[in-house]
Amino acid sequence: EVQLVESGGGLVQPGGSLRLSCAASGFTFSNSAMTWVRQAPGKGLEWVSGISVSGGSTYYADSVKGRFTISRDNSKNTLYLQMNSLRAEDTAIYYCAKGYGSGFYRWLFDYWGQGTLVTVSS
Amino acid sequence: EIVLTQSPGTLSLSPGERATLSCRASQSVSSNYLAWYQQKPGQAPRLLMYGASSRATGIPDRFSGSGSGTDFTLTISRLEPEDFAVYYCQQYGNSPYSFGQGTKLEIK
């Protein structure tokens, strides 16, 4: 059974930092592109960042470029999102999601975690 | 960046009725790389459709997708009580891999 379990969320002050983790199991993690998607309270889904199977290619939404860094450790089956210079508008549930396949299918998502809440507030 | 606009924002229908949800892209979606997701309150999204018209594993055949280029449609032929949820389209052909703002399907 595929499982994605996010952790690391919490309350942080504006300008602060947080690192999210996503522990994966039930599939070959090193064969799957991975993505972070967020959802502000009561709002829609926003694609945040994606990473290739090797970690050699990374992609970011303009809203987080230069502040967030996605990475992965295939030996630990874990995906990360380092978030710096956090703003109130970064407040959201952050989901990690598994890519469906290869090529362009890396960037649609067949399994999702349950999310971790990040609140940016003073 | 491709902007996806979904309509209507809210759709009120009764079980057994047909639902038609629209997703319009600001520019052509490469090779119809368009997906649909369903999200229920307190849950993560679930993949329904990909490639505009292919059902994901385990999705019942009352769900169908169509369209190409900039205009796409998700149709639910006969609504079941469990289908009332929020639906999102997503394009995965061009980074950033954007989502639409969602259509809420509610019970009338």
Side-chain angles (χ1 to χ4, degrees):
Chain A
E1 179 193 5
V2 172
Q3 284 200 311
L4 297 168
V5 180
E6 301 94 337
S7 60
L11 175 63
V12 61
Q13 293 189 336
S17 298
L18 216 51
R19 188 175 87 152
L20 306 183
S21 299
C22 172
S25 61
F27 67 101
T28 305
F29 182 73
S30 58
N31 287 350
S32 293
M34 298 295 295
T35 293
W36 288 98
V37 175
R38 69 184 180 185
Q39 186 169 35
K43 302 297 184 182
L45 303 171
E46 180 186 12
W47 178 85
V48 173
S49 181
I51 188 167
S52 62
V53 295
S54 67
S57 297
T58 56
Y59 308 86
Y60 297 94
D62 286 346
S63 57
V64 307
K65 200 173 293 182
R67 299 188 299 123
F68 290 11
T69 302
I70 190 172
S71 62
R72 64 191 296 161
D73 186 335
N74 286 344
S75 68
K76 295 182 178 179
N77 290 349
T78 303
L79 175 72
Y80 302 101
L81 186 68
Q82 176 67 43
M83 304 186 295
N84 299 330
S85 303
L86 283 161
R87 306 166 180 168
E89 54 264 36
D90 296 318
T91 294
I93 296 171
Y94 284 73
Y95 295 100
C96 70
K98 171 186 168 295
Y100 181 72
S102 60
F104 287 102
Y105 293 96
R106 295 175 293 172
W107 311 120
L108 73 140
F109 317 119
D110 56 352
Y111 288 95
W112 299 62
Q114 283 305 302
T116 186
L117 177 62
V118 172
T119 303
V120 184
S121 175
S122 55
Chain B
E1 174 179 347
I2 296 178
V3 176
L4 299 178
T5 303
Q6 293 185 240
S7 61
T10 302
L11 186 57
S12 300
L13 294 171
S14 300
E17 291 192 295
R18 180 185 186 92
T20 303
L21 287 68
S22 174
C23 176
R24 177 162 290 178
S26 60
Q27 56 187 279
S28 185
V29 175
S30 304
S31 301
N32 292 341
Y33 289 141
L34 193 286
W36 290 92
Y37 299 84
Q38 177 194 67
Q39 188 180 33
K40 296 180 180 179
Q43 296 184 17
R46 177 174 72 145
L47 178 64
L48 295 177
M49 312 289 300
Y50 63 95
S53 61
S54 297
R55 276 186 299 276
T57 303
I59 302 304
D61 61 7
R62 64 179 181 274
F63 289 89
S64 63
S66 63
S68 64
T70 60
D71 289 296
F72 299 89
T73 300
L74 175 70
T75 301
I76 311 171
S77 58
R78 295 171 308 279
L79 285 165
E80 297 287 343
E82 62 267 27
D83 298 336
F84 293 90
V86 180
Y87 292 83
Y88 296 93
C89 58
Q90 182 226 352
Q91 65 82 20
Y92 53 96
N94 290 88
S95 179
Y97 304 106
S98 46
F99 290 89
Q101 84 280 15
T103 289
K104 182 180 182 180
L105 179 54
E106 64 176 24
I107 298 177
K108 187 174 182 180

